[in-house]
């Protein structure tokens, strides 16, 4: 029997604080060499302006395994469809049998937000009160939710090239989080007062100016997941302490890092640590209140495995989902 879990089931089973815990543990296992994570396989579909990714992973300490299939089609929002569609298959590591099939679209946004929650908890100043979010899509929503879960955020700015999307975001997230959420008319307005910045876009050029980033800011950069994509100005990368999710993945896919490396502005030695190393206490995080910290994530499958396993465990206890025979 395989448990089928809908998007609503996933939402009910795994609230953001629990997702942050699961992802934190997964990053520690990843950096400790207790995870088998092949680089994801990408199938480009240029005729439809999209890409489909296949992302398997196994967490040895937890003995959990899963595969995510995720598609990112840039024209979908104009079609009234989500930018991202995804499906996750949980495999019983003991037998190899499929254990669950669940919606991965919301799970992707949840686990990506949770990663930024882990990074914000580890790297942002404790007194951080103002957040700035770039991108009013599903990813931008869970970014703010996660930051609010680990810091006492009072005010948030949302910037998006689509003003209607930004207005809708502000209304929805203010109600959900009881935070003062305002629409920024320019990137400058969003960045200059921000203690925490989250970028969740599909941009191929920086979404704000380095000069507007204040000392002590923490940045979660999660949108640029190919070598050609870029959200963060190279100057900001150069003056920040850079923490990544996974060395192999970041140096293969993170345009925010690869572009300044290719231009000769820095080397891979500028990367300070993996997030799992910081969380485990093996490498230092923030050293001063004026230090700029940057968490650069391209997304790794251990996040999907950890959150999917947590969803399945909670769903079984809560009686969620439908068991089907294949």
């Amino acid at each position: 029997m395989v448990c089928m879990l809908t998007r609503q089931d996933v939402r009910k089973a795994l609230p953001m604080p629990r997702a942050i815990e699961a992802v934190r543990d997964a990053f520690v296992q990843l950096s400790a060499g207790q995870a088998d994570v092949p680089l994801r396989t990408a199938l480009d579909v240029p005729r439809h302006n999209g890409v489909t990714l296949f992302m398997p992973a196994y967490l040895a300490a937890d003995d959990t395994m899963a595969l995510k299939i995720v598609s990112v089609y840039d024209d979908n929002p104009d079609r009234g469809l989500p930018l991202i569609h995804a499906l996750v298959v949980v495999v019983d590591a003991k037998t190899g049998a499929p254990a669950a099939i669940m919606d991965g679209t919301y799970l992707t946004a949840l686990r990506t937000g949770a990663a930024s929650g882990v990074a914000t908890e580890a790297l942002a100043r404790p007194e951080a009160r103002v957040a700035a979010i770039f991108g009013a899509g599903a990813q931008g929503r869970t970014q703010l939710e996660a930051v609010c879960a680990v810091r006492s955020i009072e005010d948030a700015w949302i910037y998006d090239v689509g003003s209607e999307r930004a207005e809708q975001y502000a209304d929805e997230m203010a109600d959900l989080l009881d935070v003062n959420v305002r629409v920024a008319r320019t990137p400058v307005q969003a960045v200059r007062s921000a203690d925490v910045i989250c970028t969740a876009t599909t941009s191929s050029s920086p979404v704000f100016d380095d000069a507007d980033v204040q000392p002590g800011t923490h940045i979660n950069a999660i949108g640029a997941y190919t070598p050609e994509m870029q959200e963060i100005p190279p100057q900001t990368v150069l003056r920040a302490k850079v923490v990544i999710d996974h060395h192999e993945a970041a140096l293969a896919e993170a345009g925010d890092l690869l572009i300044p490396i290719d231009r000769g502005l820095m080397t891979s030695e500028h990367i300070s640590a993996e997030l799992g190393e910081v969380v485990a206490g093996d490498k230092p995080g923030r050293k001063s209140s004026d230090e700029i910290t940057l968490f650069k994530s391209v997304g790794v499958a251990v996040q999907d495995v950890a959150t999917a396993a947590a969803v399945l465990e909670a769903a079984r206890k809560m009686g969620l989902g439908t068991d089907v025979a294949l």
Side-chain angles (χ1 to χ4, degrees), residues 21-277:
E21 291 177 11
V23 170
R24 183 191 301 116
D25 292 343
F27 279 138
V28 171
Q29 291 180 63
L30 176 64
S31 295
Q34 296 176 321
D36 187 356
V37 194
L39 277 178
R40 57 188 165 202
T41 298
L43 292 181
D44 289 312
V45 190
R47 67 185 294 181
H48 298 301
N49 202 17
V51 60
T52 296
L53 309 169
F54 298 84
M55 302 173 60
Y58 171 64
L59 286 170
D62 292 343
D63 200 25
T64 53
M65 183 188 303
L67 164 72
K68 184 173 76 173
I69 304 170
V70 56
S71 297
V72 184
Y73 276 58
D74 291 338
D75 296 336
N76 275 4
D78 293 333
R79 300 184 179 115
L81 296 171
L83 172 70
I84 297 172
H85 289 284
L87 183 72
V88 176
V89 179
V90 178
V91 177
D92 186 329
K94 298 178 181 65
T95 66
I101 299 172
M102 67 183 68
D103 168 69
T105 305
Y106 174 69
L107 189 75
T108 297
L110 177 66
R111 63 78 144 160
T112 306
S116 292
V118 176
T120 301
E121 184 178 51
L123 298 169
R125 290 180 293 118
E127 64 271 21
R129 295 294 181 269
V130 181
I133 310 297
F134 284 78
Q139 298 284 348
R141 283 165 165 75
T142 56
Q143 289 294 303
L144 182 56
E145 185 181 356
V147 170
C148 289
V150 299
R151 288 293 184 270
S152 299
I153 299 299
E154 298 171 354
D155 297 287
W157 292 95
I158 174 64
Y159 179 81
D160 193 282
V161 292
S163 58
E164 290 185 9
R165 288 197 301 268
E167 294 285 357
Q168 183 180 7
Y169 176 106
D171 291 341
E172 289 179 5
M173 298 307 290
D175 289 342
L176 176 65
L177 300 172
D178 194 24
V179 170
N180 181 28
V181 184
R182 291 174 285 178
V183 175
R185 302 305 173 186
T186 65
V188 175
Q189 190 177 23
V191 169
R192 280 194 173 171
S193 62
D195 301 309
V196 178
I197 300 170
C198 300
T199 58
T201 76
T202 57
S203 180
S204 57
S205 60
V207 297
F208 56 79
D209 291 333
D210 172 65
D212 297 322
V213 180
Q214 300 301 306
T217 302
H218 171 67
I219 303 167
N220 298 306
I222 63 96
Y225 57 89
T226 72
E228 299 77 25
M229 298 172 74
Q230 186 180 30
E231 296 182 303
I232 310 303
Q235 299 90 340
T236 304
V237 177
L238 290 174
R239 66 187 181 110
K241 168 173 282 183
V242 178
V243 176
I244 58 175
D245 48 11
H246 188 215
H247 274 286
E248 185 178 9
L251 293 176
E253 300 170 339
D256 284 320
L257 305 180
L258 294 174
I259 289 172
I261 288 174
D262 290 343
R263 291 178 182 173
L265 300 176
M266 68 180 217
T267 70
S268 61
E269 297 300 315
H270 185 63
I271 298 170
S272 296
E274 291 185 345
L275 183 56
E277 294 175 307

Side-chain angles (χ1 to χ4, degrees), residues 302-322:
V302 295
Q303 299 165 248
D304 302 300
V305 174
T307 49
V311 165
L312 181 56
E313 180 182 9
R316 284 170 171 162
K317 292 177 181 177
M318 299 167 67
L320 299 174
T322 302

